[in-house]
Amino acid sequence: MESVLLWCSFSAMVGLGISYENIAWNRTAWQKYPYSYKQEWGANRAVDGRKSDLSVFKGQCVISADRKFTAEWFVDLGEMLSIHHIFIQYRTDNNVWDESNAYTGRFLGFSVYISNTTNKDDGTLCFKDTSYTRATIPNPTNISCITHGRFVIYYNDRTHPPYPAGYSMFAFNELCEVEVYGCPVIGYYGMNCSLPCPLNCQEGHCNIVDGTCLGCIAGFIGSQCNKECDGGKFGQDCNNKCGNCSQNEQCHHINGSCMNGCNPGYYGSYCSKICETGKYGIDCQQRCSAFCRTSGICHLITGACEDGCKRGWKGAECLEECDGGKFGQDCNNKCGNCSQNEQCHHINGSCMNGCNPGYFGSYCSKICEIGKYGIDCQQRCSAFCHPSGICHHITGACEDGCKKGWKGAECLEIEDDGNTSITLYFTIATFSVSIVIIIIQFIYIILRSKQRKKHKRRKTYEQTRNENVFTQDIGGYESMLSGPEDNYQELATVTAH
């Protein structure tokens, strides 16, 4: 009864897949341990389309070597094709397939893989027997495996005992027929393999039944591979992250290139490279400030100097000079008393236009020496300050008051309270008269000098005039003497002839 049910199940599967083609027929096959004495038991017997005799006598089945703990066989489909199901007919020796059949124990525990290489571990496990017994294992059997691949691999082993009751001690192939049903042409699916797979299926492969893609080409996702990568992803399975594209735009869904340039601080086709040292901003075209403390090192996006500024500069990008009466490193130093409270030099603190009254030096940080005050400390304190020579370095005011007889901030006013000393008035008067006399004498000397110069010029003039008159008289006399002599010479000349 169980055999009848198994055959019914098999017939139903074949009926569903009757439109699919046996793409393994007469393809190249191979087995790991061939039976060396009988060439007619080779691996190709499983794909020759013959299965009328399931014994060893008609050469329709694969027979592997005895006493091996692993059995492996594969067929090469020639290229990666879409697969629907796999049909396997195991050796029966033409006896009833039930628990008493000696070959059921050899079939138990088998596996089927679909791989793109001859290594089963690189592929997809379609089926692994873990529950069949000698009484329940179907033969023939159909294994549904909707995938794609090039190699269909049958495998069994007895390498990890103990095994369940009924398992054979050794592993065998003993395959009388293996048929692989699918579409013989890449890129099609459906009962008649007449429907084209969606455009963006990877290598044109789709589910042989419903046409869903068995993987998408780079840049697409979804069962029909009709959705472009988004959300900052690109490439195969949208597993790659976009670079720093301008304004965080989506990069090209296939190759990841940034179509509208990069965000500030990045460059390159994929905007994955950060600016080189000393550059920042859009396309890394801007240069870091030369006034960054570590010259040429700034934030690749904002251009802010990461280690602060050099002496005399401030601001995020160190492009502003110190001001507000400050200078030096981090603008932490206070300017001196520059003229009219002007800003000192932003780097070294020197006062470029001199100092306020009362101060001197390059930085205008030194107050006038005792006894001096005012601009450049060129003015002297009043001699009438008490004690002498001590006054305010800016105003010149006597800080400890005035000597007796003087008053005012600078002690330059005579004190007059009705008891002024006669001696003081006499002294002042005498001093004033002396000044007047000196001035008169000076004027007299100047006038006297001018008169002497005038007299000398007049005398020189008269002498010159007399000399000119004498010269003219002599000239006339000589003229008179020359006349007769000339006449005489002419007469002598005439006589000679």
Side-chain angles (χ1 to χ4, degrees), residues 85-86 98 139 154 190 212 223 229 246 316 425 459 478 486:
H85 70 276
I86 300 158
D98 58 17
N139 185 27
Y154 172 88
T212 55
S223 62
C229 297
S246 177
Y425 282 127
K459 185 176 180 180
E478 290 176 348
D486 294 336

Side-chain angles (χ1 to χ4, degrees), residues 133-301:
T133 66
R134 293 176 64 125
T136 61
I137 188 168
N139 185 27
T141 184
N142 282 280
I143 298 168
S144 178
C145 191
I146 299 174
T147 185
H148 65 283
R150 177 171 176 172
F151 298 93
V152 178
I153 302 172
Y154 172 88
Y155 179 78
N156 210 340
D157 73 75
R158 297 293 185 264
T159 57
H160 297 87
Y163 283 92
Y167 275 54
S168 61
M169 180 180 295
F170 300 105
F172 300 89
N173 286 325
E174 298 185 316
L175 302 169
C176 292
E177 191 69 19
V178 176
E179 298 173 352
V180 181
Y181 287 90
C183 291
V185 179
I186 297 173
Y188 289 88
Y189 74 100
M191 292 293 292
N192 298 313
C193 296
S194 59
L195 301 175
C197 293
L199 181 63
N200 298 314
C201 289
Q202 186 177 26
E203 297 177 348
H205 297 296
C206 64
N207 186 295
I208 198 169
V209 176
D210 60 20
T212 55
C213 293
L214 302 176
C216 303
I217 64 173
F220 294 89
I221 56 173
S223 62
Q224 301 294 318
C225 296
N226 55 357
K227 296 180 181 178
E228 294 182 357
C229 297
D230 57 11
K233 299 296 184 68
F234 76 96
Q236 189 64 54
D237 299 324
C238 299
N239 281 334
N240 301 313
K241 187 177 180 180
C242 293
N244 292 276
C245 297
S246 177
Q247 299 180 357
N248 296 313
E249 293 178 344
Q250 171 66 33
C251 63
H252 192 280
H253 62 288
I254 296 176
N255 60 30
S257 62
C258 292
M259 296 166 282
N260 295 308
C262 308
N263 276 329
Y266 299 87
Y267 74 102
S269 299
Y270 305 99
C271 298
S272 58
K273 299 178 181 179
I274 63 172
C275 293
E276 299 171 355
T277 301
K279 295 183 178 181
Y280 75 100
I282 296 175
D283 293 328
C284 301
Q285 293 299 306
Q286 294 171 275
R287 290 192 173 276
C288 299
S289 170
F291 304 116
C292 291
R293 179 178 291 184
T294 304
S295 182
I297 296 180
C298 67
H299 192 277
L300 58 89
I301 297 175

